[in-house]
Structure formats: C-alpha cells, structure tokens
Amino acid sequence: SSPNGIARLLPDGQYDSSFKLTNIEDFPDLSANDVVILDDGSLVITGAATESKAQVIFKTNSNGTKIDNYNITILSNLTIVEEYELPLHSMAHISSTILQSDRKLIIGGVFTSLGIIKNKNLARLNPDGTLDDFLSPFEHDNRIESIIQQKDGKYLVSGEFRSIGKEGLVRLNNNGTIDESFQVNYFGQESIVKLTSDNQIIVGGLFHSVNGTVRNGLAKIDPEGNVVESFNSINILPDSYTVHAIDSLNDGSLLIGGYYGSSLSGF
C-alpha cells in the first residue's frame, strides 16, 4: 500500500490509510529514505528517484501532500534546477537529515560536492535551499551515517572518517569545525547515533569496544565523551549483531533494530 517507501502506522501498529504521498507526479519512482517531523505536524522528506537519477528533498503536510514552495531537486547531470544551486552526482546518497530550529537543514551522506568544493559529504542549507557558510571538515572518501544536533547547537556525526583516521563518532562546532575536546573511538564499525531526552548519547553499530570499554554493538556516552558504565547490553544483544536503528521513547527506554551479518533478521 506504500509504493514510496513511507507509511504511517496507528498506535496499535495498523496501517494508517489516511496518510499517502501526493502531488509528487514529477517523481513517480520516488523511494523515501529519511523523514523529519516538524512541530506543526508537517514533514520534510528525503528520497531518491531512480529513473530520473535524482535526490529530492521536499515538504508535505501532515497527510502527505507535497507543499510546492519547498522543493530541492538534486539531479545527476550537474545542472542547476529551479532556483536552487544544488548539483549532485547520480551516485550520491543522502543518509541523514536534521532540521534546525532556525529551519536550516543539515544533510549528510556520500557525495563529492554540492557545486562548491567545501561541502564534502556534509552540508547545511538555508530555508530557501541555498548553501550557507557551514564548512565540512571531511574529505571526499568519508561516509556520513547519521547526524544529530545537541541542545548547545553542536553536531554529533557518525560514520567512517578516513581523512582524520577515525571510525565512529565526531562532534562538530556550529561552524563545522571539529570539537577536539570530544574523543570517542571504536574498535569495529559504527553506524548510528541518537540523543536521548536526558541528553545522553546512544551509539550503535557493529563494534566490540568504545574508548577501550568492551561493548557489543550498543553503548551510552555522556556529553563529555565518557562511556556510561551502568548501561551495558553485552548480555542482551547477540554476537555479530549490527544495530542499524535506535529510537528513544518518552519513558527513557529504547527501541533497537538491526540485522545479523548479511541477513536482514530483525531484533
């Protein structure tokens, strides 16, 4: 019932047929890969249109109807589309988006540039879709997996950062420079980061230790970058399990999703 890869579920888990993406005729083959929910109930959706080789970012109302005055189209032929100067190679992939309180949008993933060499797999867009002065510290061979913004405005970015010799988590200042006071290193691979309601950092992926402390794919980190000893899931998650999704519930508990090895067995 959801050809675009996005659906809304009712509280009991049933499919909500009242939500459907509409007014997206320009991208009939759209596959959504990220959603940001705004305070007014509207959505900012990132997706890929495979036939037209485009990455698109657009806004809908709470029922899924696209709002025409907010639309960023990133095509593969490096041409400028509409009023937005956002050329992007067809092999690009946007893996994470966050919307700031000032309505600026951060996007991260795998792309070489957005027409300007300073944007290397991480960029910040103004509300009208133009690039702002955010300076990414990462080179082209880096991969961004997830981004979140702390209450102090700093960014937590997870991924693979070969250009700075790290695998895991980096904290950036508001202007994009690296916060050297925050050091979190992994033995293994990291894929996702989440901020809980009490400002604690949850990281998940396929790793064996964090800052030298043994952890099996899931760990909690305080705002200074120290592993929280009281949070230990070694006896909960099975070996070789990759945490690929984390959500923090209102009561402080967590929902964890992922897979074993190359299979897609959920947990």
Side-chain angles (χ1 to χ4, degrees), residues 177-220:
T177 58
I178 296 176
D179 180 1
E180 299 292 351
S181 67
F182 185 83
Q183 296 291 331
V184 178
N185 297 293
Y186 301 93
F187 178 71
Q189 298 179 5
E190 194 273 345
S191 62
I192 196 74
V193 59
K194 184 75 177 181
L195 199 65
T196 65
S197 57
D198 59 354
N199 207 36
Q200 298 289 299
I201 302 162
I202 305 293
V203 293
L206 179 59
F207 53 78
H208 307 291
S209 67
V210 180
N211 286 355
T213 301
V214 176
R215 288 293 184 269
N216 184 25
L218 192 67
K220 179 183 282 190

Side-chain angles (χ1 to χ4, degrees), residues 129-190:
T130 57
L131 287 165
D132 82 344
D133 58 357
F134 182 85
L135 182 63
S136 171
F138 307 120
E139 299 297 333
H140 301 311
D141 57 352
N142 292 187
R143 184 187 74 252
I144 307 299
E145 293 288 356
S146 63
I147 315 164
I148 57 175
Q149 189 175 28
Q150 297 184 154
K151 294 180 180 180
D152 60 4
K154 293 184 178 182
Y155 304 97
L156 293 169
V157 184
S158 69
E160 181 181 353
F161 311 109
R162 297 177 184 174
S163 63
I164 58 175
K166 289 196 68 174
E167 176 82 31
L169 189 62
V170 174
R171 185 160 67 189
L172 305 181
N173 298 310
N174 189 259
N175 63 356
T177 58
I178 296 176
D179 180 1
E180 299 292 351
S181 67
F182 185 83
Q183 296 291 331
V184 178
N185 297 293
Y186 301 93
F187 178 71
Q189 298 179 5
E190 194 273 345

Side-chain angles (χ1 to χ4, degrees), residues 2 4 6-8 10 15-24 35 37 40-45 58-67:
S2 181
N4 307 116
I6 179 173
R8 184 165 64 194
L10 299 171
Y15 175 67
D16 183 359
S17 60
S18 68
F19 180 88
K20 183 179 181 182
L21 289 186
T22 56
N23 198 24
I24 58 169
V35 179
I37 303 176
D40 61 3
S42 59
L43 311 174
V44 176
I45 298 173
F58 60 95
K59 187 176 180 180
T60 76
N61 63 20
S62 60
N63 288 326
T65 301
K66 185 169 77 68
I67 299 172

Side-chain angles (χ1 to χ4, degrees), residues 98-106 124 149 153 155 174:
I98 59 172
L99 190 73
Q100 301 181 165
S101 59
D102 58 4
R103 291 299 186 261
K104 288 187 178 183
L105 191 73
I106 292 278
R124 186 165 62 197
Q149 189 175 28
Y155 304 97
N174 189 259

